[in-house]
Amino acid sequence: MEWRAIPGLEAYEATLTGHVRRRDTRHRISRVGNYYRLHVNGQLHKLSPGDIVTLAFPGPEVVERLRARVAELEMALRQAREGTNTATAPVASP
């Protein structure tokens, strides 16, 4: 799983799937509802996972990686529903 610094919120890192952790302790941050509450220099920043991913992973490659991940998950779900065991290995995240 790749962790990247969040520009403007350098005390935190994010993954492509929208998980957030502190850079210094590597402690994962929990969401409050649909948002993360991140504190930087005494200011509270309330951001959605989508906003955080956009900041940490800018550019069109993010969209392509997410589309590929969705396609993998849809195929695994379809195979599970059909009862086939061809996807016995865990599906890796991008």
Side-chain angles (χ1 to χ4, degrees):
M1 183 177 324
E2 180 183 1
W3 291 91
R4 288 192 186 177
I6 304 169
L9 304 166
E10 281 78 15
Y12 299 94
E13 296 176 314
T15 65
L16 188 59
T17 56
H19 297 281
V20 177
R21 72 179 182 188
R22 291 206 42 96
R23 290 183 76 189
D24 55 355
T25 63
R26 296 188 177 203
H27 177 69
R28 285 199 182 187
I29 306 299
S30 298
R31 286 189 303 196
V32 178
N34 292 326
Y35 295 93
Y36 286 103
R37 292 177 156 195
L38 308 177
H39 297 273
V40 177
N41 297 328
Q43 293 182 339
L44 173 65
H45 299 272
K46 187 176 171 183
L47 296 167
S48 71
D51 291 339
I52 291 171
V53 169
T54 301
L55 288 171
F57 295 86
E61 66 274 0
V62 172
V63 175
E64 292 306 316
R65 289 174 72 181
L66 288 173
R67 283 184 182 152
R69 178 72 174 137
V70 168
E72 288 177 21
L73 292 171
E74 286 175 342
M75 184 171 59
L77 181 61
R78 193 175 322 113
Q79 290 173 346
R81 285 183 179 156
E82 293 171 356
T84 59
N85 291 329
T86 57
T88 55
V91 179
S93 63

